[in-house]
Amino acid sequence: MKGKLIIFSGFSGTGKGTIMNELLKRYPEEFCLSVSATTRSPREGEKEGVAYFFKTRDEFEEMISKGEFLEYAEYVGNYYGTPRSYVEERLNEGKNVFLEIEMQGAMKVKAKMPEAALVFILPPSIKILAERLSGRGTNTEEDIRQRMNQASREAEGMTRYDYFVINDDLEKCITDVRNLAQGNIPDDLPDESFLKNIKDELDSMLKGDL
């Protein structure tokens, strides 16, 4: 049975990485992570085909010309992209493949693979999201404000996603995502009114009302 491509997006601080890592650790026979290609140099400890597929600029641009990427972008002078062949090989092995990506890239992948599931991870509230970001101890007030501004922009497009999962109770969140991968849609996923509340909270926080 063919696996499902699960495209993961969400505001910074919602715990996307934690959710994916737990599913990969608990169910390695069911889930795997998409491996990107990049033209940047390997860092210490990074392995080819595990951290990234490391390519020269010429190699990467040849892959672009052959249409071998589901999506790609250039960031700070280096290319990053999702090779279609790697994803399809894993799906054909029956693995559910996680692809954590920002919204613009997610829409490019969805256009090429309409059967992919777009999953947006939400916080229980914007106040809790701000507390999580502050609690990391590495984010200044300006960092948090920038992340909230980014979240506000992302909130405008989040209705284009297929499913929404609230990361309040990690165990429930893990169960919900696994059920989505198996085609069992939970009946208590957030509705449009919850999405509107999140947008309103973001607007209020950026105005200084929260």
Side-chain angles (χ1 to χ4, degrees), residues 21-172:
N21 287 336
E22 281 299 313
L23 283 160
L24 292 166
K25 183 171 72 176
R26 297 183 193 188
Y27 310 105
E29 72 287 352
E30 293 181 35
F31 296 95
C32 70
L33 199 59
S34 174
V35 178
S36 298
T38 184
T39 55
R40 79 158 172 77
S41 299
R43 294 173 184 153
E44 188 175 347
E46 289 184 334
K47 294 181 179 179
E48 168 71 16
V50 178
Y52 286 97
F53 296 110
F54 295 99
K55 303 292 182 184
T56 65
R57 195 169 186 85
D58 285 346
E59 287 172 338
F60 200 104
E61 290 179 346
E62 185 178 356
M63 291 176 73
I64 293 173
S65 69
K66 291 179 177 177
E68 294 180 8
F69 288 109
L70 289 172
E71 58 77 37
Y72 70 92
E74 191 168 7
Y75 178 71
V76 196
N78 282 304
Y79 282 123
Y80 295 83
T82 304
R84 182 170 195 143
S85 60
Y86 180 85
V87 171
E88 289 186 334
E89 284 168 13
R90 301 291 86 75
L91 293 175
N92 288 331
E93 290 171 0
K95 295 262 191 176
N96 298 310
V97 181
F98 282 129
L99 175 57
E100 184 184 350
I101 196 168
E102 43 69 42
M103 192 171 284
Q104 189 175 7
M107 296 307 149
K108 291 178 182 176
V109 178
K110 181 73 169 178
K112 291 184 178 178
M113 297 186 75
E115 69 278 14
L118 289 173
V119 178
F120 200 91
I121 304 298
L122 291 164
S125 71
I126 295 304
K127 185 178 180 183
I128 289 174
L129 178 62
E131 288 170 356
R132 287 178 183 173
L133 289 170
S134 178
R136 286 178 173 178
T138 56
N139 296 316
T140 65
E141 285 189 21
E142 180 57 28
D143 289 335
I144 293 170
R145 184 163 188 83
Q146 286 180 5
R147 289 171 192 265
M148 288 300 173
N149 276 312
Q150 178 65 24
S152 182
R153 291 190 290 271
E154 291 170 343
E156 294 305 313
M158 64 184 177
T159 53
R160 298 166 72 185
Y161 280 67
D162 300 316
Y163 306 106
F164 303 89
V165 177
I166 301 171
N167 188 10
D168 186 8
D169 178 325
L170 180 61
E171 289 302 318
K172 183 180 186 309

Side-chain angles (χ1 to χ4, degrees), residues 169-180:
D169 178 325
L170 180 61
E171 289 302 318
K172 183 180 186 309
C173 193
I174 288 166
T175 300
D176 284 348
V177 174
R178 190 181 183 210
N179 279 332
L180 286 173

